[in-house]
Amino acid sequence: MSNRGLVEPTRERAAAVATSEVNGADPHAGGDVSAAEFTALFNSLKSWGRWGASDERGALNNLTAARVRKAADLVRSGVVVSLSLPVNTTAAPDCPTPAEFRMTQQHDADLGLGALGFAKDFVGVDYHSDGHTHIDALCHVAYEGRLYNGVAAGSVTAEGAGAEGIDVVKDGLVGRGVLLDVPRVRGVPWLEPGAHVFREDLEAAERAQGVQIGAGDIVLVRTGHARRLVEVGPWDTADLKAGLHPTTMALLAERGIAALGCDGNSDTAPSSTEGVAFPIHVLALNAMGLLLLDYLQFEDLRDACESAGTWEFLCVTAPLRIEGGTGSPVNPLAIL
C-alpha cells in the first residue's frame, strides 16, 4: 500500500509548522495524524517477511559485511567521541527513574591478601526510561498483539524475550554513522519541546552538510534535547519533547537504513498520532524492524564533525549480551 496520499499533504503541513516555530507559535499545528492515516503508513512501511518468515534481524540485514568494511575506511583522524549520557543516579523531571550506584567493597576490606586490596561497585538501571542512553531490541514494542515480522507478543514472558531479544545484536552494531543536525539547518540551538522533525528537515540537513544517508547506515538525528537540558534546566521530558514526525519514516525506509538514534527517544511528545502514544517506536521496531538508540548526546560529536568538516564516521555500539533482553544500556562511539 502506498503512503503517497499521506506524505504529500503532510509536506504542506511541514512548511506551516516550520513557519509557526520561527514565529513562536504552536509547533504542533498541522502535524496531527489520524488513526486511519497511521494504519496506512504502518502498512506501507511494514517489512514483515522481506527477509524470511523466521527473520529476527530486521533492518540489520541492510548492514552487510561489505558496508561495515566500507565504514571502517571513514576513519581518518582516529578521534573517538562518546555519544552516551553519563549514568544518571539523581531523580529529576527528566530522569524519573535514576540508576542505582553503590560501592560494595573498598580497598580497606580485609580479604586476607596482605597489601593487596580490591574496590567493587554495583550498578543497576531501569534503562527504558528518560535520561538513560540505551538501545531497544525489536521485542521491546508490541502493537496489536504482534512484534516485528508477526511474532506473537506472548513470546515475551517473565523469563524474558523468546524471540527478537537484544542478543540478536551480540556481535555489535557497527557501520557508517551519519549525524543530521536539524537545529543547525534551522539556525537555532535546539528544537523547542513538542516540535516535529519532518522529512524536509532531514533532506535539508543532508544538503547543508553535504552528506546523504543510505543503505545500512546508522542515522543519528540531533534535536538539541541534551543541550537544552543543560542550558535551560530539566522539565518533564516524558510529556514534552521534540522528535520525529511519523511521516519521516518513509524516507528512512526508502533509504534502507539499519538503525536510528536520537538525543530524545525519536518520538515527539505529546504524540502527533491518534491512539498511538509512541508512533516512531511502533513504526521503527514493529513495522520496519529498525533498531532504536534512545537518549544519546550529540553535542561533542557535533563539534567534532564541524571541526573535521564531515558528518559521516564509523559508529560502534556494543550492547550487553543479555539473553532474552529487551534492550541494553550502551555507550555508542563515533570514530572520525
Side-chain angles (χ1 to χ4, degrees):
M1 179 184 299
S2 172
N3 66 326
R4 182 177 179 82
L6 174 61
V7 173
E8 293 302 328
T10 302
R11 289 181 176 176
E12 297 175 5
R13 294 200 296 263
V17 170
T19 301
S20 72
E21 288 172 350
V22 170
N23 295 335
D26 180 7
H28 303 108
D32 293 343
V33 177
S34 70
E37 286 178 320
F38 184 77
T39 297
L41 183 57
F42 182 94
N43 289 334
S44 72
L45 298 177
K46 190 162 67 173
S47 63
W48 297 6
R50 178 178 177 183
W51 293 287
S54 61
D55 176 62
E56 297 184 38
R57 290 176 56 79
L60 278 179
N61 287 290
N62 293 323
L63 186 48
T64 62
R67 287 172 176 149
V68 174
R69 176 65 188 85
K70 189 174 182 180
D73 290 337
L74 294 172
V75 177
R76 294 289 185 268
S77 66
V79 170
V80 182
V81 182
S82 169
L83 309 183
S84 176
L85 296 168
V87 173
N88 196 337
T89 59
T90 303
D94 62 309
C95 185
T97 311
E100 180 184 352
F101 171 84
R102 66 175 187 270
M103 296 301 297
T104 58
Q105 185 171 290
Q106 295 174 264
H107 289 125
D108 58 0
D110 185 4
L111 305 177
L113 299 175
L116 180 62
F118 288 96
K120 300 193 300 180
D121 54 60
F122 170 89
V123 176
V125 56
D126 182 4
Y127 56 85
H128 284 302
S129 58
D130 287 41
H132 303 299
T133 302
H134 64 274
I135 187 171
D136 292 338
L138 297 187
C139 65
H140 177 49
V141 168
Y143 183 63
E144 296 185 339
R146 297 287 170 183
L147 309 180
Y148 162 73
N149 222 15
V151 172
S155 62
V156 179
T157 69
E159 280 69 51
E164 301 177 4
I166 198 60
D167 41 309
V168 171
V169 201
K170 63 180 176 62
D171 296 318
L173 175 62
V174 181
R176 177 185 183 240
V178 179
L179 177 64
L180 297 180
D181 190 346
V182 177
R184 180 179 184 269
V185 78
R186 288 196 188 180
V188 295
W190 54 71
L191 304 187
E192 288 299 330
H196 298 304
V197 173
F198 288 91
R199 177 182 182 129
E200 289 75 11
D201 292 305
L202 300 186
E203 292 173 330
E206 286 182 314
R207 292 190 297 271
Q209 297 171 200
V211 69
Q212 188 172 57
I213 60 176
D217 283 352
I218 301 163
V219 175
L220 308 175
V221 179
R222 179 178 178 268
T223 68
H225 179 82
R227 178 175 174 183
R228 191 180 193 278
L229 280 168
V230 170
E231 296 192 17
V232 176
W235 71 94
D236 187 356
T237 56
D239 291 334
L240 192 63
K241 70 168 72 72
L244 277 64
H245 192 269
T247 52
T248 59
M249 302 305 286
L251 172 65
L252 304 183
E254 290 164 15
R255 300 292 183 85
I257 72 168
L260 171 65
C262 189
D263 47 6
N265 67 351
S266 291
D267 270 294
T268 307
S271 172
S272 62
T273 303
E274 179 185 5
V276 182
F278 297 91
I280 300 300
H281 274 63
V282 172
L283 295 174
L285 296 169
N286 196 285
M288 299 167 61
L290 184 68
L291 293 171
L292 289 178
L293 293 154
D294 292 346
Y295 296 105
L296 289 80
Q297 68 85 18
F298 299 135
E299 303 314 300
D300 298 335
L301 177 60
R302 180 184 187 277
D303 291 345
C305 286
E306 288 275 17
S307 177
T310 184
W311 299 87
E312 59 177 350
F313 38 83
L314 177 64
C315 191
V316 178
T317 301
L320 299 175
R321 291 190 65 173
I322 309 169
E323 293 188 5
T326 61
S328 171
V330 286
N331 178 22
L333 304 174
I335 308 172
L336 286 79

